[in-house]
Amino acid sequence: MRLIANLLKTLLILALLAGVGLLTMLLLWQGDLRRVDDLSVLEYGGKATVLDSSGQVIGALTPSLSSGARVNRDLLKASQMSPWLRAAVVTSEDTRFFQHGALDPRGLLRAVVHSATGDQEGGSTITQQVVRSTLLADIGQDKTLTRKLKEALLAVQVERRFSKEEILTAYLNVVYWGVGRTDLLGAQDAAQTYFGIDASQLNLAQSAYLATLLPNARRYNDYTAYRPLLRSVLTRMVKEGRATQAQAEAAWRYPLRPVGWTVRYDGAGNLISATLSDPGAKRARSPAPQVRFADGFLDAVERDLSERLGRSVLYRSDVRVYTTMNRQAQTSAEQASRRAALPAGATLGLALLDPQSGDVTALVGQKLGDGVLEEWNNATRARRQVGSSIKPLLYTLALAKGWKQSDTLIDAPLDGDYQPKNYSGSFSGGRVTLRYALDHSLNLPTVRLAQQIGLNSFVSKLRELGLSPAPDTGLPLAIGALEASPLQMAAAYAPFANGGIYHAPRLITKVTEGGKTLLTVTPDSGQRVWNEQTAYLGLDLLRGVVNDLTPYQGGLGWKARIDGREVGGKTGTTNDVRDLWFAGVTPGLSGAVWVGRSDNAALPRTAYSGEVAAPIWQAAASGALAGQPVASFTAPQRIEFRRVHGVQMAFRTEQSGGFLGGLFGGNSAPAAQQQPEQTDRAAQQQAADQATRDQQAQAAQAQAAQAQAAQDQAAQQQAADQQAAGQAAADQAAIDQAAIDQTAIDQAQAAADQAAQQRATEQAAQDQAAQAQAAQQQAADQAAQQPQPVLTPRPQSDAGSAPPVPDTGGTGTTQPVPGDLQPQPDTAPGGVAPDTTPTPIAPTNTTPDNSTPGANVQDSGAQPGQPGQ
């Protein structure tokens, strides 16, 4: 008795534990269980009419499932399917379908027995297969306990929600029947591909053959081996009362000829010969990919609406959906996709929006015109690492904290365990300006900047911009270890074009039914993420990437230029060239393009973001703006422009550094970055520094004027000597304020001494008036003199060839440059025409060090094969 009592107690405890476990799973899987209503979309479809921003009809929405499964657009009702097909599929897949519930214990036991004897047989019911193919498509075919439990629970829910006939109809609409030009989903695809008829016209022989393909569609490739399965299905149909013996015999004798096969039978239906004479016939006859106009946009609208209204509500009624899509922009984006020259196997995602409102004007989710129908909408649903296209966001944060474009950073390896590299593997060892580092997409200065700015501050800013950095990414975040979609990147760049306001993207304006408004979506008021001056300074950096350097000089964004319009943007490439990006802005438009493979495989090393992604962006943007008045970015108040090292740059007036600051190209470390949380105090300190430097400049000019006023040769020589000494002292003071390293200081002093000696020699040989004029000119020249960091130019491997074109997205591989590409002047706002022969801060390296790619956190610039940290 005690043994029995203990056994009962044990069983009770196990039952309680099982109950608690089941309750826990139900609570944890509430979201998955709610997916059951998704199947209601299979009963409807195409009843939501979508209109663009001008009120023109775009098309009708087609149903999708929250799991991500694609649903055949030719949804059939039960009456549109051959009764023979329904009977054959039930016989083959789940012969007791109409007798058991969601699960079939008998079938499961039979499957276990057969598996033990080496004969693989599935134990899943048709209901479970529907759940697996639709509601749990995002889990895939993982044979895990979790998936099996979810599948069972959802199957029970489906049986409660739908009738057996509805479940069978849903199954025949979504089941996989092989591959043609795209996946063959549902009875209509199968009937048209294998036999060239509609699903309603299938006879018993054809239906039984299609049923034999369901466990494994590759059986099509060996008709001889699997012909006996047809006899087995027919025999079982007779046994189950779904066909008579006479009907089964007639079906066996029917001269069945699947597409592409040449088959001969004898009079009794026995196979004499079978040859796959046309292996391409199945692909040729299969339905063409159903890529409609604005397919990517419609997909995004359908998912947005489903979240707002629910799928069952959306497809039960006849509604009209008004959207933000601009037909001209969408047409231009699709043309750019069709004409895009992509590496083999690559696809793309493209998003355009209005930066003033966040309204999405165009979306393209895949490469169009290649005969492949991608299930995934890369414009909105892809999350791929962005590479160097993240860098302008970091640099602009530095500008917000008091840095200037002319401030300098060391291009040299870091201290510590994390050792990123410039793409080329080389470094100059000297200081480069922020502008130069971004123009050439250097990784080492960028990571140093992130260290000084602070990663926590950068992460917070990225979140304000609608991006979601992974926790604990670390320093690799600075050079691209962030996953985002093209739409997210387009929205993150939009504040550069609208004065610093982030708007969440909007697709839908309203939904109506019978004239009654069901839903109104108003644009958000926006969140200020940059002040106007900072946004404009960041924009100026982006314009530099596109315009500062020609392809001959290593320009990264050259092919994004639009004639007559201002353009700014940045390329991006990730590790092993898995992702190519270009994100950019022009007045009235912000957009981003991603190119890569759906399977995340690497692209060829010769695929460059500036050569692949940038031209797609340019084609889409220029077409979207065609016919519209040319607009310009307007500089806000307290912005001025100066040439530093031959490059026109924008500065805050109160942080400009005065006359000498413009000449000496900024500081090595601004006061603001010393105390990043006290920007105002830093700005005040910089303003004080500016006043001091301006006074020094005025003193230098006064000395030059006194030198000019001298009339006789002896007085002129004495004044010139004084001027040289005073100017050398001014140079030394300016260099000290800029915190330039000791080597640069020594070079500056040596240069000043040599210049003084030269002036003395020349003045001795000239008359009094010429000497006075020479002293004045020399004083001005000495004030403008700035020692340059010495960079080590990369040796050319082919001394006789033209300088190479760098990888505009980050690979460093080169190509010859057309001889007619010449440097273009960079005209500053306000009509100031800058010098058209820029002198860079360092000798131009024609193979720029672009973003060390990183698919994973390896976008860090770590050595090949070493993960970023």
Side-chain angles (χ1 to χ4, degrees):
M1 290 297 294
R2 180 177 298 177
L3 179 61
I4 295 175
N6 289 336
L7 179 60
L8 290 175
K9 185 184 296 185
T10 302
L11 292 175
L12 180 60
I13 293 174
L14 290 175
L16 288 174
L17 290 175
V20 171
L22 180 61
L23 179 61
T24 301
M25 288 187 295
L26 290 173
L27 293 175
L28 292 175
W29 297 342
Q30 280 298 309
D32 292 313
L33 296 178
R34 282 195 294 268
R35 290 181 176 184
V36 170
D37 284 340
D38 280 9
L39 291 183
S40 62
V41 305
L42 302 179
E43 303 175 66
Y44 312 102
K47 292 189 177 182
T49 303
V50 184
L51 302 92
D52 63 18
S53 58
S54 65
Q56 298 183 61
V57 173
I58 302 172
L61 294 183
T62 56
S64 67
L65 301 172
S66 56
S67 64
R70 183 166 61 89
V71 176
N72 195 312
R73 289 170 179 162
D74 293 325
L75 295 175
L76 303 181
K77 298 178 180 179
S79 59
Q80 295 174 298
M81 298 179 185
S82 165
W84 289 125
L85 179 64
R86 299 172 72 85
V89 167
V90 169
T91 301
S92 175
E93 293 296 294
D94 186 2
T95 191
R96 299 182 62 253
F97 173 67
F98 289 99
Q99 284 76 49
H100 62 65
L103 308 177
D104 182 13
R106 187 188 304 178
L108 183 59
L109 180 60
R110 184 175 61 250
V112 172
V113 172
H114 280 262
S115 296
T117 60
D119 182 11
Q120 296 296 323
E121 179 176 330
S124 298
T125 65
I126 284 178
T127 306
Q128 288 176 279
Q129 293 184 57
V130 169
V131 169
R132 187 184 310 149
S133 298
T134 58
L135 306 181
L136 296 181
D138 52 344
I139 299 180
Q141 300 299 316
D142 297 337
K143 294 182 179 181
T144 62
L145 179 60
T146 297
R147 199 217 72 183
K148 286 292 186 181
L149 289 173
K150 282 186 178 182
E151 182 182 291
L153 289 173
L154 283 169
V156 171
Q157 295 285 66
V158 168
E159 290 267 354
R160 291 176 178 176
R161 171 70 173 77
F162 300 97
S163 70
K164 288 286 189 178
E165 289 292 344
E166 288 173 333
I167 295 171
L168 179 58
T169 300
Y171 177 73
L172 291 173
N173 269 316
V174 300
V175 68
Y176 173 79
W177 250 301
V179 177
R181 277 176 282 191
T182 185
D183 289 345
L184 304 177
L185 298 180
Q188 185 70 356
D189 277 5
Q192 290 181 342
T193 298
Y194 289 104
F195 299 112
I197 58 178
D198 290 335
S200 61
Q201 300 173 317
L202 291 168
N203 61 30
L204 176 55
Q206 294 164 335
S207 297
Y209 173 77
L210 291 180
T212 66
L213 297 182
L214 284 179
N216 188 345
R218 288 192 295 271
R219 291 174 175 176
Y220 162 83
N221 297 315
D222 193 348
Y223 185 76
T224 302
Y226 293 102
R227 167 74 175 172
L229 289 179
L230 182 64
R231 168 68 82 179
S232 175
V233 171
L234 293 173
T235 300
R236 291 165 59 193
M237 290 182 71
V238 172
K239 180 180 178 180
E240 298 295 333
R242 297 187 177 105
T244 67
Q245 186 64 42
Q247 290 169 332
E249 289 297 331
W252 179 251
R253 292 193 300 270
Y254 178 79
L256 194 68
R257 291 184 175 83
V259 62
W261 282 91
T262 299
V263 186
R264 294 177 56 219
Y265 303 94
D266 63 17
N270 298 312
L271 188 64
I272 298 176
S273 65
T275 304
L276 184 58
S277 55
D278 187 359
K282 185 173 70 162
R283 174 182 172 84
R285 187 186 282 176
S286 65
Q290 301 180 51
V291 180
R292 306 166 298 174
F293 174 69
D295 220 353
F297 197 98
L298 291 171
D299 171 80
V301 167
E302 194 273 340
R303 294 181 183 279
D304 190 9
L305 268 183
S306 296
E307 292 181 3
R308 296 177 184 274
L309 296 178
R311 286 174 174 79
S312 59
V313 174
L314 179 60
Y315 290 107
R316 286 181 186 276
S317 55
D318 189 2
V319 299
R320 294 173 70 82
V321 184
Y322 295 82
T323 72
T324 60
M325 193 198 85
N326 179 284
R327 188 171 293 268
Q328 178 177 327
Q330 182 67 35
T331 300
S332 176
E334 294 194 3
Q335 289 177 345
S337 175
R338 289 189 175 89
R339 297 171 182 172
L342 303 186
T347 186
L348 60 79
L350 189 162
L352 303 178
L353 57 78
D354 181 351
Q356 300 301 325
S357 63
D359 285 354
V360 181
T361 56
L363 292 173
V364 178
Q366 60 182 289
K367 172 68 173 80
L368 303 178
D370 60 357
V372 177
L373 179 61
E374 291 280 348
E375 295 184 19
W376 205 250
N377 184 351
N378 293 303
T380 59
R381 303 175 66 196
R383 294 294 184 273
R384 302 298 287 259
Q385 289 204 349
V386 300
S388 291
S389 62
I390 198 176
K391 290 179 180 176
L393 307 179
L394 174 66
Y395 281 58
T396 304
L397 179 59
L399 298 177
K401 290 181 175 292
W403 290 68
K404 301 185 293 295
Q405 297 188 55
S406 57
D407 288 331
T408 58
L409 293 159
I410 298 176
D411 179 26
L414 280 67
D415 297 327
D417 294 334
Y418 178 51
Q419 290 294 316
K421 291 184 177 181
N422 295 327
Y423 184 83
S424 67
S426 64
F427 55 88
S428 67
R431 288 189 172 275
V432 294
T433 64
L434 268 66
R435 178 82 165 221
Y436 183 95
L438 189 62
D439 279 355
H440 294 81
S441 202
L442 300 179
N443 285 335
L444 295 175
T446 301
V447 175
R448 290 181 181 277
L449 182 62
Q451 288 177 319
Q452 298 189 53
I453 293 298
L455 279 177
N456 290 339
S457 180
F458 187 38
V459 167
S460 297
K461 183 59 65 176
L462 291 176
R463 289 172 178 163
E464 290 180 16
L465 292 165
L467 302 171
S468 302
D472 303 322
T473 302
L475 288 173
L477 179 65
I479 50 179
L482 170 80
E483 294 182 347
S485 70
L487 181 58
Q488 286 178 305
M489 290 301 291
Y493 268 55
F496 291 124
N498 65 22
I501 305 297
Y502 173 80
H503 294 279
R506 182 176 72 147
L507 292 160
I508 301 165
T509 58
K510 67 178 180 179
V511 180
T512 64
E513 179 186 13
K516 179 182 178 181
T517 299
L518 297 180
L519 174 69
T520 300
V521 183
T522 58
D524 69 346
S525 57
Q527 174 186 358
R528 178 163 290 283
V529 291
W530 313 113
N531 64 39
E532 290 187 7
Q533 288 75 25
T534 298
Y536 190 84
L537 295 176
L539 170 66
D540 195 51
L541 280 173
L542 292 179
R543 291 189 298 193
V545 173
V546 174
N547 299 297
D548 283 354
L549 305 174
T550 66
Y552 184 85
Q553 297 169 312
L556 303 178
W558 183 260
K559 290 193 174 181
R561 295 173 307 123
I562 302 175
D563 290 343
R565 297 186 186 272
E566 294 182 63
V567 172
K570 183 68 182 75
T571 53
T573 307
T574 60
N575 273 350
D576 302 322
V577 197
R578 296 179 188 275
D579 307 279
L580 304 176
W581 285 85
F582 186 86
V585 295
T586 189
L589 181 147
S590 178
V593 173
W594 165 83
V595 173
R597 290 177 60 98
S598 297
D599 59 5
N600 200 34
L603 300 173
R605 298 292 297 180
T606 53
Y608 315 138
S609 53
E611 296 290 326
V612 177
I616 300 171
W617 186 95
Q618 192 275 349
S622 60
L625 298 173
Q628 298 184 23
V630 175
S632 299
F633 291 116
T634 302
Q637 295 181 349
R638 295 185 287 114
I639 291 291
E640 64 181 20
F641 300 89
R642 299 194 305 276
R643 296 195 71 80
V644 179
H645 305 304
V647 178
Q648 186 85 354
M649 300 183 189
F651 295 87
R652 281 189 178 87
T653 301
E654 69 272 22
Q655 296 181 359
S656 64
F659 177 73
L660 288 180
L663 292 176
F664 286 97
N667 304 316
S668 62
Q673 67 93 10
Q674 302 292 340
Q675 299 181 10
E677 303 301 328
Q678 302 180 19
T679 304
D680 292 340
R681 183 182 302 175
Q684 293 173 2
Q685 181 61 46
Q686 289 183 349
D689 293 343
Q690 172 191 343
T692 301
R693 290 191 292 269
D694 288 344
Q695 291 176 359
Q696 293 172 343
Q698 292 172 1
Q701 292 173 345
Q703 291 174 354
Q706 292 173 1
Q708 182 179 8
Q711 298 299 318
D712 58 89
Q713 183 174 1
Q716 177 60 40
Q717 183 62 53
Q718 182 180 4
D721 292 341
Q722 293 174 350
Q723 178 66 19
Q727 187 59 56
D731 288 350
Q732 184 65 50
I735 292 172
D736 289 341
Q737 292 176 358
I740 299 178
D741 55 63
Q742 188 59 45
T743 300
I745 296 174
D746 294 340
Q747 292 174 349
Q749 186 62 54
D753 293 342
Q754 183 178 0
Q757 294 174 1
Q758 181 64 30
R759 283 196 298 273
T761 301
E762 294 176 353
Q763 288 165 352
Q766 296 174 354
D767 59 28
Q768 179 177 349
Q771 290 171 346
Q773 182 178 2
Q776 179 186 12
Q777 182 61 44
Q778 290 162 359
D781 289 345
Q782 184 62 33
Q785 189 174 17
Q786 163 67 20
Q788 304 295 317
V790 178
L791 301 183
T792 304
R794 173 180 296 181
Q796 297 295 330
S797 59
D798 184 357
S801 64
V805 176
D807 167 22
T808 58
T811 68
T813 310
T814 60
Q815 293 181 350
V817 178
D820 60 347
L821 291 178
Q822 300 297 328
Q824 299 296 317
D826 179 6
T827 303
V832 179
D835 180 9
T836 61
T837 57
T839 301
I841 187 171
T844 301
N845 183 350
T846 59
T847 304
D849 301 328
N850 296 311
S851 72
T852 301
N856 309 325
V857 293
Q858 297 169 359
D859 193 296
S860 57
Q863 297 182 23
Q866 296 181 350
Q869 300 180 15

